[in-house]
Amino acid sequence: MNAQLLATKAYNGMATVHPEVPAISVGMGTCGIGNGADTLYDALVDAATGKNIIIKKAGCFGYCALEPLLMVYHPDRPVLLFGDVKASQAADFVRAASDEAAYAALAPRALCKLSSWDFRTAAITFGEGFPDVPEWNELPFFKGQEKLVMRDCGLIDPESLDEYVAVGGYSALARAIGSMSPDEVIAEITSAGLRGRGGAGFPTGVKWQMMRQNEATERYIICNADEGDPGAYMNRNEIESDPHMLVEGMAIGAYAMGASTAIVYVRAEYPLAVHRLQKAIADATEAGLLGDRVLGTDFSLTMRIVSGAGAFVCGEETALIASIEGRAGRSSPRPPFPAAKGYLGKPTNINNVETWCNVPVILARGASYFRRFGTDRSPGTKVFSLVGKVKNTGLVELPLGMPLSDIVYGMGEGTGSRKRIKAVQTGGPSGGCIPADKFDTRVDYEALAELGAIMGSGGMVVMDEDNCMVDVARYFVGFTSAESCGACAPCREGLSQMLRILTAITRGEARAGDIATLERLSRVVRDSSLCGLGQTAANPVLTTLRYFRDEYENHIIGGRCAAGTCEALFSALCENSCPLHMNIPGYLALMGEGRLEEAFELSLRDNPLPGVMGRICHFHCQMRCKRETLDEPVAQGELHRYLADTIYKIGAQKAVWARLVDEKLPSNGLKVAIIGAGPAGLSAGFYLARLGYEVTIFESRPAAGGILRYGIPAYRLPKEVLDTELELWTLLGVTFVFNTAVGVDVSVDALSSRHDALIVASGAHADRSLGVPGEELDGVHAGYAWLEEFALGTAPVPRKRALVIGGGNVAIDTARTLARLDCEVRVAYRRSRDDMPANAVEIKGAEDEGVRFEYSLQPLEVLGTAGRVVGARFRVMRAGGVDASGRPAPVATDQTVDIPCDDVYVAVGERVDASFLSGTGVSVHTDGRIRRDALTCKASDSIWAIGDAVTGPATAAEAMGLGKQAARAIDEALMKRSVFASLFKDFGYSMQVPPEPVEALAMRSPEVPPSQRRGCFAEISQGYSGNQAVAEASRCLRCDIRANARSPWR
Amino acid sequence: MNTTQESERTAPAPGALLSALENAQRENEYDYLPESILRRVAAETGEALSRVYSVATFYSFFNLKPQGKHPIVVCRGTACHTRGSLGLLKETADKLGFPDFREDEESSFTTEDKMFSVRTVACFGQCALAPVVSVDGAMYSRMTPARLCALIDDIRRGDQS
Ligand code: FES
């Protein structure tokens, strides 16, 4: 056997794998090239001419989000990895490679370093240095990864056989054919427990054994590199970055199974992979590693490539064989299995790329080494393509058995925005959607199958709150139904019927019974299809039905797509994301036409507190405004406020109010009691009164408004605005009963017996405590309770040095109020500024007013002397890995600090206290929130629940949205009619697409300067001028002008 | 023993028909397979025309209609879908005068002047940088509707001058 040959190649290869002169390598996978790696490479070559520097190409290191990736090698130093490198920086890198000082200056900008690398079939120590640069596996993206398959990816030149041999390549083949019998090879694979990496995880050793048993003159082995899962690309990368590992793995397999022809079936969409594999095969053949008498033994092997032409079904073994034989890729029934009768009727073994790529490691290091990774039933690693709504996208290789949360939040670091992750889709069109609350699942074949998903080839697509799960199901069924080869009826017909129903749901044309039909069809297709494509095609539907049924119901019954994906279900994204579904483009258009009174009327019908909400809303609408992709979202709130203020100034509201009173539906004699006069209760009362109900609102405080009156300080919301708007309730005949606490002054039973429906809208304002010693000291105040006392005029006079603990809006409202009372205010929060839940403008405002913020402080104890607060002790925290909230988790350090103060205000969140409902048949969650039906808000036979009492602390708009939703549901339930739409009116406005937008930031309204805010509770923001309002309204892009747009209350 | 030759005697080389069709399409000026070419491939490979047709229609890679001078390919893979590729496709279709284009009914469209062809692909394998669009063979990652429209305008301008 030709050992000398490998030794020479290894020697040659080492000169570039572990160079003795400076070197720069560029990741040149398809994704690198697509992002400028090729121009970068050329620029480096230019810059390096005449210098003793090696510029080389490498495969992809997996961190695709930061392409192009570049590595700098210096003799006896760690390799440094840089991301997102531009061709314009080429000269800098070349200088750094040749000049020690420039090198040291560049090092801190490196993503990470590689002091050594374990190629698994060899290991190289590059060198020590740069203590401040993290080691590669200390970066969140790489932490926990084990690169068994991607052992060479990014570190060797995929087009160099020498480099592959230098890192131990082909040593496994030499060992297998030189000193092992085919049975011994199979035994090694079997005891390693390797399972098929392309689908359900069939044991590879067993599959090889089955093939070997079949007597035949000719046997074939095939590599399935069709990678039909759209959204997964690990196979492409494996071939592009390290084609020889596939060649070697297949050669070992051919030897073990007695095959003399190997075929690689690659997608035509992967030209680079095909090119590199072709070269690898040619080079290996020339070196005697393939072809006749491999390495001088009796074993011969011919390898060739067939390029597929884009058909998903070809992932199915029988279809793939048909395709290689030159026929249309249609499945045929099994048995016979390919192992008995496959390609050209001969025994054929098909394995996925990654399965083959594991083989050389197992042979080189032994089965027990392989079993060190992963779990007992699923040994080894798996490469996943982590993509979709996740910050760090790329290829991750991890030991099987790792929890999904470690992958999504650890390696992926969440969405990278404030958006919440909703689900992960694994296994592509054959897989399923796993909801975020199941992310503690440990990823292996069985665990994923139990959830209704599959591992598949390793696609992992992260979805966030903007992704609609019905749309996802429709997308996949659309895909599989188009790809169905048509050979069997259940798959062909079943899928197209499923697609029809799913499409109807996304268009708002489905009926309630359709979900059941869809479910039944899914089972039939799963149980009776001929091949794997059909058998698994229902998985995306079955899993979304299992975990996201409420989304289906919301589409069909509620007529809404909360994610804002199904366009036929809303008019514009701003309207859809507004919890009240205000027709925002509509009233902006009316304002643009100068029809202010009509604009006001339109907005009032959608939202009865325009002046209030225009000021203090969370502006959910702005977060989805399409204008943001151009410059800045439309300042809808300012316009809303301007509209209300202007109308009130000229007194035009009276006429509009009179119209609403006039058109009240005739009294239906039904009585509704509402507990709580906050935003939720007011909203429900407004709509129910208009629908003809006799509405009474019970409120424990002396006036209406809830948080709007008692929580939000006057400098944000002058109480006169609230008072003006509340007149409308009285006009509509709503009765308020103040100073009456339900459960104390009047019992729930008494209310129930006197009313036809009871709505609980009691909010969430029981302050949470810190749970640390010293909270009982004199001078410790609960944040929300203090704000309320302040609004009522009963708060104790604050002392000079105030310390507010918390980072939400209540904390900031407290701090800014105290600042106005001439206190020295500090706010302590346990995370960073970026992670504060409070509105950004509020934080900024507080800073302007001289409030000092202390970040990363977790309270340990409130300090006191003689029963009186003198300060607080905190643990200093640091930012750790991303947690389920999408923010870096605070991690304790061993440091503590004391902050002296005279008063402590604890504003770390509020919770629901619904104890007054006990014994009424209403059930509550463990945290106190009331349980209710998501669509109707029904909590028991005669009780409905809305607002913060069901959601926990949320926004005023969300509370009002639920009030509106409940009013509709109650009317439909009690009156068995559907008249809600009659409460809205069509005003007719321009449906002309506005002219091409010119880039322009939103208008800013003038403000009271910070220097004048001490001791002053006057409103800070002065509102738009008329000209500003017109200019701002014209920034709306009118996304509602579409053929299929639907009015929000249709 | 050289097994390659033996197996080739019993059957055509693996994928011969697919490769022949791929080459024929590549050589065609409008990147498609008119009937005349299908007939020629059938004659050359010795396959029945019906089989050639069956293969050409089965795989999405093959075009049976002439393609425009500037191919625009929008990825409709899962990663790209979750990051808004349907919006890109709609935007392109609107811009090029095919507002009614529906991907599940038609696989592609070509503008009247044969300037642009728009089609979709299942996945480019660049999912980490979704959404991905290829224009004139060059890949564009993290594409936005605004960038794509600007690109189309640039091409139009370039071709006119
Ligand atoms: S999903 Fe678009 S490139 Fe893969």
Side-chain angles (χ1 to χ4, degrees), chain A residues 230-232, chain B residues 75-81 122-127 130 132:
Chain B
C75 175
R76 292 288 293 124
T78 321
C80 292
H81 179 72
C123 172
F124 279 120
Q126 297 202 35
C127 327
V132 183

Side-chain angles (χ1 to χ4, degrees), chain A residues 77-78 80 107-108 113 115 127-135 138:
Chain A
R77 290 303 197 87
L80 295 179
K113 64 184 176 194
S115 301
E128 298 293 321
F130 309 118
D132 295 336
V133 178
E135 208 46 79
E138 288 168 358

Side-chain angles (χ1 to χ4, degrees), chain A residues 566-727:
Chain A
C566 302
E567 287 199 334
L569 297 186
F570 55 86
S571 74
L573 279 173
C574 52
E575 170 269 299
N576 197 52
S577 48
C578 171
L580 284 148
H581 295 284
M582 283 174 50
N583 181 359
I584 296 167
Y587 85 77
L588 293 189
L590 289 167
M591 280 177 84
E593 293 173 28
R595 297 156 67 189
L596 284 197
E597 191 177 314
E598 286 165 283
F600 176 75
E601 185 174 338
L602 184 152
S603 88
L604 187 71
R605 287 169 184 272
D606 282 344
N607 173 352
L609 292 168
V612 168
M613 297 305 287
R615 287 173 163 83
I616 60 97
C617 189
H618 189 59
F619 304 122
H620 303 263
C621 51
Q622 295 185 10
M623 288 171 224
R624 294 299 298 273
C625 178
K626 273 200 190 160
R627 179 95 201 186
E628 184 158 35
T629 59
L630 184 67
D631 38 46
E632 246 182 352
V634 175
Q636 194 280 129
E638 291 280 7
L639 288 165
H640 201 186
R641 169 192 169 173
Y642 167 82
L643 180 60
D645 286 1
T646 309
I647 293 292
Y648 299 148
K649 213 179 286 162
I650 57 174
Q653 79 277 18
K654 297 258 155 61
V656 177
W657 288 351
R659 277 201 284 282
L660 293 194
V661 173
D662 273 356
E663 67 177 46
K664 261 179 70 171
L665 298 191
S667 167
N668 58 14
L670 296 177
K671 293 183 182 150
V672 179
I674 299 175
I675 304 173
L682 288 172
S683 160
F686 170 78
Y687 289 104
L688 286 168
R690 293 176 62 205
L691 287 164
Y693 291 80
E694 191 179 310
V695 178
T696 311
I697 304 183
F698 294 84
E699 169 61 57
S700 61
R701 291 162 197 78
I707 191 169
L708 304 173
R709 182 179 300 277
Y710 298 110
I712 295 174
Y715 60 86
R716 284 173 68 193
L717 173 61
K719 301 307 160 218
E720 305 76 56
V721 178
L722 178 62
D723 288 333
T724 303
E725 300 198 323
L726 284 172
E727 286 172 34

Side-chain angles (χ1 to χ4, degrees), chain A residues 802-1024:
Chain A
L803 176 61
V804 179
I805 300 177
N809 279 326
V810 172
I812 309 296
D813 286 344
T814 307
R816 296 185 75 182
T817 301
L818 289 163
R820 281 170 172 70
L821 299 174
D822 227 18
C823 294
E824 283 168 20
V825 189
R826 290 219 238 179
V827 175
Y829 176 55
R830 63 196 197 109
R831 304 180 192 243
S832 74
R833 186 182 194 276
D834 287 344
D835 300 328
M836 278 197 157
N839 296 353
V841 287
E842 295 303 316
I843 301 171
K844 174 77 174 44
E847 286 169 343
D848 289 348
E849 289 156 13
V851 172
R852 275 178 59 188
F853 285 85
E854 313 282 349
Y855 296 105
S856 302
L857 294 183
Q858 167 111 331
L860 284 179
E861 185 181 354
V862 182
L863 307 168
T865 39
R868 172 82 214 166
V869 167
V870 297
R873 177 162 299 156
F874 295 89
R875 160 106 30 229
V876 177
M877 312 298 279
R878 63 174 177 79
V882 170
D883 64 17
S885 75
R887 302 172 295 174
V891 180
T893 68
D894 50 13
Q895 263 177 295
T896 62
V897 291
D898 290 353
I899 298 181
C901 65
D902 304 320
D903 281 300
V904 170
Y905 300 83
V906 180
V908 290
E910 301 82 45
R911 57 185 174 77
V912 179
D913 179 5
S915 49
F916 66 94
L917 286 174
S918 65
T920 58
V922 171
S923 73
V924 296
H925 294 274
T926 45
D927 61 359
R929 287 175 301 125
I930 302 170
R931 285 182 201 275
R932 91 308 182 184
D933 178 76
L935 283 170
T936 61
C937 301
K938 206 165 177 184
S940 80
D941 279 349
S942 61
I943 300 181
W944 280 258
I946 56 177
D948 285 4
V950 301
T951 55
T955 66
E958 287 168 293
M960 291 182 75
L962 287 177
K964 196 170 182 177
Q965 192 181 327
R968 178 185 192 157
I970 288 172
D971 188 50
E972 286 172 1
L974 300 189
M975 296 293 293
K976 310 265 178 282
R977 64 181 179 184
S978 168
V979 297
F980 202 67
S982 69
L983 302 182
F984 306 91
K985 203 166 127 187
D986 192 355
F987 289 87
Y989 40 80
S990 161
M991 288 304 273
Q992 221 71 64
V993 184
E996 193 83 356
V998 192
E999 221 174 294
L1001 294 183
M1003 292 286 146
R1004 305 273 184 269
S1005 44
E1007 293 188 342
V1008 174
S1011 60
Q1012 291 170 23
R1013 295 186 202 161
R1014 292 246 149 191
C1016 166
F1017 280 86
E1019 189 174 18
I1020 296 171
S1021 169
Q1022 308 289 294
Y1024 278 169

Side-chain angles (χ1 to χ4, degrees), chain A residues 183-241:
Chain A
D183 286 327
E184 282 169 344
V185 174
I186 294 180
E188 196 72 39
I189 298 292
T190 308
S191 72
L194 176 63
R195 301 172 64 175
R197 294 294 191 245
F202 193 80
T204 306
V206 176
K207 196 166 170 181
W208 287 18
Q209 187 62 43
M210 276 161 40
M211 163 90 162
R212 185 161 176 79
Q213 278 162 0
N214 288 316
E215 279 305 321
T217 51
E218 181 66 61
R219 295 189 180 93
Y220 295 94
I221 60 166
I222 294 176
C223 169
N224 178 3
D226 191 42
E227 197 147 75
D229 171 0
Y233 63 106
M234 63 291 293
N235 292 164
R236 167 180 73 65
N237 183 64
E238 285 150 10
I239 299 177
E240 280 178 7
S241 297

Side-chain angles (χ1 to χ4, degrees), chain A residues 35 230 236 323-324 388 471 475, chain B residues 15 59 76 78 81 83 125 128-129:
Chain A
N35 280 278
R236 167 180 73 65
S323 178
I324 296 180
D471 171 73
Y475 166 82
Chain B
Y59 296 98
R76 292 288 293 124
T78 321
H81 179 72
R83 299 198 71 110
L129 302 159

